[in-house]
Amino acid sequence: MKEQELTLGEELRRQGISRRSFLKFCAAVASSMAIPASMVPAMAESLAKARRQSVIWMSYQECTGCIESLTRSYTPTLESMLFNFISLDYQHALQAAAGRQAEDALHQAMEDNWGEYLVIADGSIPLKDDGVYSTVDGHTNLESIKEVAEGAAAIIAIGTCAAYGGVGAAKPNPTGAVGVDQIITDKPILNVPGCPPMPEVMTGVLTSYLAFGRLPDVDSKKRPLAFFGDTIHDRCYRRPYYDLGLYAKSFDDEGARKGWCLYELGCKGPITYNACATTKWNQGTSWPVQSGHGCIGCSEPNFWDKDSFYKPLSAGQWGSAEGIAIAAAAGVAAGAAAAVVSRKHQDNLAGGNKS
Amino acid sequence: MSLGDIPIKVDFDAGPQPDAGLNTAMVMALLQEIATHLNDVANGGERQVVELGNLPLSDADIVLLEQKLGRGEVHATVSAAGPSEIYETTFPGLWWVKYFNDAESLVSQQLEIGPAPMILEAHRVDIEDSAQRFPALFDSPELFASPETESP
Ligand code: SF4
Ligand code: SF4
């Protein structure tokens, strides 16, 4: 039997990998996607029944930071499991083939999996002057994305550049750079912004595509709700300090040392949708706010052109006054509750100490 | 040059560690959720799983939770896609399940409420595989060794 004809379960079984590994892999993915943990067994079950997914990865005006981030997904063990689930048929930074061979491999993969392959794109696409500013194999990125999109089941735009134009589109946008969904309008497109994007999102999106047969639900900016449903601020562990009005005023003051809220140092957490606060970076080691720096809003369109990273939101061009007022109001209410409960905890702990 | 050569000043009087955070209202909400699940399962309901990674718990919250739940009779490790650690809390049927990656850092941790956590159970497909492979043991040469041929 050809490898591709086996189900993933059969394929991994042959390698001596038990279903417990599937379960654990799915538990990790479900955790990162806020899929109810009770669904994990069913998810593992249907993932085991799926077949390898052909993936074609196109890189346009990009810095390779996205693929750097994503190849550090999870851990050696769990990451290698993902690579058992997909067949990465074209990725010009990773593949051994080059030149004509590589382009032939691309066309072969498209032909073999027409209508079924997934396209992952990173980098923005220049439109100005017929797109001459970025070409591969004599074709502009514009021609290329149109060609691969035609036979794709869906497109995943990875990183803020492929999603919204990113740094390439920063003022004055010399190449007329745009994101994929400005060009392709007749295919399901999912944006995974972030500069760089979080590896867990990629793993989660691909796994749920395999297990559930479709892309996850998205918000108005085409971002998967599972990862982009809440703001950084909603899930920030420094939130109790924000609610209590305790702010660091400079990067080395007493408040900064005590881990107070970074709002006044320019944190864009309240208006940035991303999963950093709970998923964290570098295999869960830490994340920007935990290391003492405010969120710079890297997963939002035009974040690079929205004034200083170090000016408080209320002073910059970020968000509407309305958005900030909502965050502030929610903060006051949640803050009051948090304060009551934390006092209760202190009492409980104090009581425990005495006994 | 090693890490030890970098002159850093650690201010031990700086108060609570910045990355531990304060206790949040989340712990109380979580305890109440667990109480509901325990009741359901005690009345014959299905297994329930609460993923802790999705909740905005501070490190201080996790420590508090671990203290309150304690450790009970069972402690197990599973080696599949990296190590996993499972223990029963002092409340039978309430399990703490920690999935680690190879580097032993946590990828997911869950509270599971039920007779036994799912990662401990063998999957039917794996049992089928055992059933298929097992008879090969009958061919082990050692099993055919008679006392005579065994002596030197
Ligand atoms: S403003 Fe930033 S540091 Fe403060 S609570 Fe919100 S996300 Fe956390
Ligand atoms: S904390 Fe903010 S700026 Fe930093 S990676 Fe996350 S979303 Fe981007």
Side-chain angles (χ1 to χ4, degrees):
Chain A
M1 223 190 291
K2 255 180 59 192
E3 279 237 321
Q4 236 141 346
E5 289 163 3
L6 293 175
T7 64
L8 297 177
E10 288 161 349
E11 213 178 297
L12 267 67
R13 176 70 265 158
R14 289 215 302 199
Q15 298 175 30
I17 296 172
S18 75
R19 287 297 182 89
R20 283 199 185 93
S21 302
F22 268 87
L23 198 68
K24 180 170 173 179
F25 179 84
C26 289
V29 170
S31 153
S32 69
M33 296 187 75
I35 292 172
S38 53
M39 278 180 68
V40 166
M43 191 175 166
E45 209 55 38
S46 67
L47 182 62
K49 288 202 187 97
R51 274 156 229 277
R52 260 180 196 257
Q53 173 66 46
S54 164
V55 173
I56 290 174
W57 185 309
M58 305 303 293
S59 296
Y60 299 124
Q61 286 194 128
E62 44 86 37
C63 69
T64 315
C66 292
I67 187 103
E68 276 292 323
S69 168
L70 301 178
T71 49
R72 273 141 191 74
S73 163
Y74 284 128
T75 67
T77 320
L78 289 172
E79 177 194 316
S80 64
M81 280 191 72
L82 176 71
F83 284 100
N84 276 307
F85 301 156
I86 64 170
S87 163
L88 189 54
D89 292 328
Y90 181 86
Q91 207 300 329
H92 69 199
L94 298 180
Q95 70 197 126
R100 178 57 36 216
Q101 270 186 332
E103 297 315 304
D104 287 348
L106 167 65
H107 289 104
Q108 191 61 49
M110 285 171 58
E111 201 183 307
D112 291 347
N113 303 287
W114 190 256
E116 282 169 13
Y117 59 83
L118 281 180
V119 170
I120 297 179
D122 66 333
S124 61
I125 297 163
L127 296 182
K128 203 167 148 196
D129 301 326
D130 293 328
V132 293
Y133 300 103
S134 180
T135 62
V136 175
D137 189 34
H139 298 287
T140 64
N141 294 167
L142 181 60
E143 288 164 348
S144 155
I145 189 71
K146 285 182 176 164
E147 188 194 2
V148 293
E150 208 189 330
I155 303 171
I156 304 172
I158 284 286
T160 303
C161 296
Y164 311 126
V167 170
K171 279 177 199 145
N173 192 356
T175 68
V178 298
V180 174
D181 71 354
Q182 301 291 101
I183 299 165
I184 306 297
T185 49
D186 58 350
K187 290 283 172 181
I189 296 182
L190 187 106
N191 288 331
V192 182
C195 191
M198 302 200 77
E200 288 79 1
V201 181
M202 191 66 222
T203 309
V205 166
L206 287 175
T207 307
S208 68
Y209 185 77
L210 281 166
F212 305 127
R214 61 180 188 89
L215 292 175
D217 294 336
V218 296
D219 68 3
S220 62
K221 290 177 181 144
K222 299 195 178 77
R223 301 176 289 200
L225 277 168
F227 295 98
F228 296 90
D230 292 310
T231 63
I232 297 289
H233 184 67
D234 287 335
R235 300 195 159 237
C236 179
Y237 76 100
R238 296 195 186 210
R239 183 62 182 267
Y241 293 108
Y242 173 92
D243 294 336
L244 295 169
L246 295 172
Y247 304 111
K249 310 272 182 197
S250 76
F251 281 110
D252 54 1
D253 70 356
E254 197 202 347
R257 280 201 300 276
K258 287 186 172 166
W260 289 357
C261 170
L262 300 166
Y263 182 87
E264 295 199 358
L265 291 173
C267 183
K268 307 295 183 278
I271 48 148
T272 303
Y273 289 83
N274 207 344
C276 309
T278 42
T279 303
K280 302 189 179 180
W281 283 89
N282 301 320
Q283 284 93 50
T285 305
S286 182
W287 63 291
V289 168
Q290 190 173 347
S291 64
H293 194 286
C295 167
I296 62 172
C298 75
S299 53
E300 295 296 322
N302 307 320
F303 79 93
W304 54 89
D305 278 336
K306 286 183 178 168
D307 211 347
S308 167
F309 294 152
Y310 301 100
K311 269 193 205 160
L313 271 174
S314 45
Q317 302 172 25
W318 277 86
S320 56
E322 185 195 355
I324 291 162
I326 291 168
V332 171
V340 170
V341 172
S342 73
R343 262 199 306 280
K344 234 176 167 180
H345 282 154
Q346 282 161 9
D347 294 348
N348 287 347
L349 287 174
N353 286 344
K354 265 179 253 154
S355 57
Chain B
M1 179 160 155
S2 74
L3 267 186
D5 299 329
I6 302 171
I8 44 167
K9 181 175 144 258
V10 180
D11 184 352
F12 287 104
D13 298 327
Q17 280 307 297
D19 55 2
L22 297 178
N23 281 125
T24 66
M26 217 36 237
V27 178
M28 182 54 80
L30 183 59
L31 291 181
Q32 282 170 1
E33 188 185 346
I34 298 168
T36 313
H37 289 330
L38 273 172
N39 255 317
D40 289 352
V41 175
N43 289 311
E46 271 179 38
R47 156 171 38 222
Q48 298 290 333
V49 189
V50 179
E51 169 59 51
L52 298 180
N54 295 331
L55 304 173
L57 292 163
S58 63
D59 289 357
D61 287 341
I62 294 279
V63 170
L64 180 64
L65 198 61
E66 278 177 333
Q67 273 172 10
K68 294 288 162 197
L69 302 185
R71 286 183 178 242
E73 290 174 344
V74 185
H75 186 189
T77 50
V78 173
S79 310
S84 305
E85 191 194 323
I86 299 107
Y87 67 85
E88 195 175 35
T89 65
T90 52
F91 300 92
L94 174 57
W95 303 84
W96 197 303
V97 180
K98 298 180 182 190
Y99 294 125
F100 292 90
N101 65 34
D102 263 6
E104 311 231 325
S105 64
L106 211 52
V107 279
S108 156
Q109 62 179 332
Q110 310 174 337
L111 293 175
E112 223 178 293
I113 302 102
M118 53 190 166
I119 191 80
L120 288 185
E121 290 172 5
H123 192 282
R124 198 181 41 80
V125 168
D126 290 327
I127 302 177
E128 278 168 16
D129 183 66
S130 296
Q132 249 177 29
R133 284 190 299 120
F134 196 82
L137 289 185
F138 304 152
D139 299 334
S140 318
E142 300 94 307
L143 295 175
F144 297 101
S146 61
E148 299 92 77
T149 53
E150 220 178 68
S151 56

